[in-house]
Amino acid sequence: MKRNTLIAACLGLAALTLGAAASADQLDDIKAKGELVCGTLGTSQPFSFQDASTRQLVGYDVDMCKLVADKLGVKITYKLLSVAARVPELNEGRVDILAANLGYSPDRAQQIAFSHAYYVSPQKLLVRKDSGLDTIESVNGHRVAATKGSSSEREIKRVLDKSQVLGFGDSSSAYLALQQKKVDAQFASELVLVRLQLQSPPTAPVSIIPKSVFDESWGLGVRKSEPRLLDAVNQALDGAEASGAAGQLFDKWFGAQTQYKLQRAFKIAPIAG
């Protein structure tokens, strides 16, 4: 009898242990170890980059990850990733969350879960000031430069269906083609175009067509198998929006006191689609 009682007790303890293990998830693991590992690019100013004077990793994405970690009550650790490695590093469990210029697309949403949009990137057209082009419609039918293989290249082909869209290796190459009059417009995110406009020589001024072709929502990425972590991340973002902290972070990195002088035209909210 005693032996049977002992066996039953052991089986019960094993069942409890297995039950606890089954119920544990990434959010529990993060809180248990006291650390959130955030994957970011480290080469994308002002989102995540190395400060020249302090050598510290700083930026909008960096601060957003820190905001989430603070809400969870854990410390933050950053891991620098390449663009191509973002999704694999997350899904293989080497980072807990991504804050890495991660634009939403239906295809990407099949691979990872997206948080609420913490940044919305207007996609716009840059033209030479002497071109006479000042609307999206006026550009249609002209040669347009875009970054090869990007979602921007795919979308601008769809929107400007009469234009010849030429792909370039990066935004700098596309901008050079614009200045050399090999193309009549360049398509990219507003922030990229503002940087190029600031670098434009006085002898060859450029302007950004004000209306955006479309707006791209960016989310923090988590694994699709971690709904509790996703919910906790969204709660942190929603809280930052309600308290004004999210707006303050935008102003810190993009606002009137920065070189970009952008206005925040979005609020943190679920991504449509």
Side-chain angles (χ1 to χ4, degrees):
M1 179 66 73
K2 288 183 178 179
R3 184 183 175 200
N4 289 341
T5 302
L6 180 61
I7 291 172
C10 289
L11 289 173
L13 180 61
L16 286 172
T17 302
L18 288 171
S23 65
D25 62 8
Q26 190 184 12
L27 181 59
D28 294 327
D29 292 343
I30 290 167
K31 289 186 175 181
K33 69 181 180 180
E35 178 188 44
L36 178 72
V37 181
C38 176
T40 192
L41 298 180
T43 55
S44 179
Q45 188 173 351
F47 294 98
S48 59
F49 64 102
Q50 190 178 65
D51 183 274
S53 57
T54 66
R55 315 302 292 176
Q56 297 295 310
L57 187 69
V58 296
Y60 183 74
D61 282 357
V62 172
D63 284 350
M64 277 293 176
C65 263
K66 177 70 164 52
L67 185 151
V68 172
D70 288 347
K71 180 67 175 179
L72 297 180
V74 298
K75 70 177 183 178
I76 186 70
T77 299
Y78 299 99
K79 182 175 182 180
L80 300 186
L81 306 175
S82 68
V83 170
R86 294 175 300 180
V87 171
E89 287 287 300
L90 176 68
N91 282 335
E92 290 169 18
R94 288 193 276 269
V95 297
D96 300 317
I97 190 171
L98 292 175
N101 297 31
L102 204 64
Y104 174 88
S105 71
D107 289 344
R108 193 171 278 159
Q110 295 295 316
Q111 304 173 60
I112 62 171
F114 279 81
S115 74
H116 294 170
Y118 73 100
Y119 182 75
V120 175
S121 175
Q123 307 293 300
K124 296 188 174 184
L125 288 160
L126 183 73
V127 295
R128 295 183 302 276
K129 277 195 173 180
D130 62 2
S131 68
L133 303 173
D134 56 6
T135 66
I136 296 169
E137 293 74 19
S138 68
V139 174
N140 203 6
H142 292 265
R143 295 165 301 172
V144 178
T147 302
K148 198 170 193 175
S150 66
S151 58
S152 295
E153 182 188 33
R154 182 179 65 250
E155 284 300 308
I156 201 62
K157 285 180 179 178
R158 180 184 62 80
V159 175
L160 299 185
D161 55 352
K162 297 176 183 176
S163 287
Q164 179 187 7
V165 177
L166 303 176
F168 292 84
D170 53 39
S171 58
S172 297
S173 301
Y175 175 72
L176 182 60
L178 177 66
Q179 289 287 18
Q180 293 175 341
K181 299 187 177 182
K182 294 178 180 177
V183 297
D184 304 300
Q186 177 179 356
F187 184 62
S189 71
E190 180 181 41
L191 192 63
V192 166
L193 298 183
V194 168
R195 281 204 298 259
L196 293 172
Q197 188 177 35
L198 290 170
Q199 298 166 13
S200 178
T203 54
V206 293
S207 61
I208 299 171
I209 293 177
K211 185 179 178 181
S212 63
V213 177
F214 70 93
D215 295 330
E216 184 180 65
S217 295
W218 293 12
L220 302 175
V222 302
R223 292 198 291 276
K224 290 181 75 70
S225 58
E226 302 296 340
R228 284 186 65 233
L229 176 59
L230 180 63
D231 185 57
V233 170
N234 284 334
Q235 287 183 32
L237 293 176
D238 290 345
E241 182 65 44
S243 69
Q248 290 170 8
L249 284 184
F250 183 92
D251 289 342
K252 173 183 176 182
W253 294 108
F254 309 105
Q257 301 306 312
T258 71
Q259 62 177 323
Y260 308 110
K261 304 189 186 316
L262 300 182
Q263 291 187 339
R264 189 175 189 248
F266 68 92
K267 291 186 177 181
I268 289 173
I271 297 175

